[in-house]
Amino acid sequence: MKILMLHGINHNMFGKRDPRQYGTVTLDEINASLSALGQELGAELEAFQTNCEGAMCERIHQAYADGVDAVLINAGAWTHYSYGIRDALAILTCPVVELHMSNIHAREPFRHVSVFAEIVMGQICGFGVDSYLLALRAAVSAVQKTQKTGQ
């Protein structure tokens, strides 16, 4: 099972950026935790991070062409306004799980809206690094259900 983790804008600064919201964990540490859990769950995880919206869309297109089994996305601020990324995600036929380290519904009003919400399988937020691990578990479960039912 192949799962793609998409990290959005400014996530390369985890560990340095607003530790009150995001803690001190780095992106490399998050990816290592995801890879370790992926191995336990029988999933191969590939991580991609960019600060360029077009590059994110192109990586999503590549995921479609590659036939990945599921996509996890923490798009950061793009979550709230990027219709380009939303439309790219809508092309995918696999489960897509949106996640955020902070509880976006308890923050500034502009963060309460996700333009991805109506096209993703679900959203996990507010659990810090555990949001990533919960999202991976949800994606693996969704893929396994799809494989059992053949749909």
Side-chain angles (χ1 to χ4, degrees):
M1 175 183 325
K2 292 187 179 188
I3 298 180
L4 176 62
M5 174 68 236
L6 298 171
H7 297 284
I9 192 163
N10 296 316
H11 291 183
N12 57 308
M13 298 305 291
F14 280 155
K16 297 177 177 79
R17 176 181 173 227
D18 194 0
R20 187 174 56 79
Q21 287 293 340
Y22 305 109
T24 57
V25 68
T26 67
L27 190 59
D28 287 341
E29 292 169 328
I30 291 169
N31 288 334
S33 294
L34 280 169
S35 290
L37 179 59
Q39 283 184 323
E40 287 178 36
L41 300 175
E44 178 186 334
L45 189 99
E46 178 187 344
F48 175 80
Q49 188 278 327
T50 184
N51 292 313
C52 300
E53 192 173 9
M56 181 66 80
C57 290
E58 289 186 3
R59 186 61 191 93
I60 294 166
H61 297 168
Q62 187 62 49
Y64 176 82
D66 292 344
V68 300
D69 295 300
V71 171
L72 310 177
I73 185 165
N74 181 349
W78 287 328
T79 301
H80 315 295
Y81 67 86
S82 179
Y83 295 103
I85 292 173
R86 181 233 184 260
D87 289 350
L89 289 169
I91 295 167
L92 297 172
T93 57
C94 64
V96 178
V97 179
E98 175 187 340
L99 68 110
H100 304 278
M101 289 175 65
S102 66
N103 180 353
I104 62 173
H105 305 289
R107 294 187 62 191
E108 305 93 334
F110 77 89
R111 294 188 198 274
H112 298 184
V113 175
S114 165
V115 299
F116 309 150
E118 64 184 36
I119 61 160
V120 297
M121 183 178 95
Q123 179 189 80
I124 297 170
C125 67
F127 296 98
V129 175
D130 285 341
S131 291
Y132 284 93
L133 304 177
L134 292 166
L136 179 56
R137 288 183 183 280
V140 168
S141 177
V143 171
Q144 288 171 338
K145 286 177 186 171
T146 301
Q147 290 171 342
K148 283 181 185 175
T149 62
Q151 297 177 354

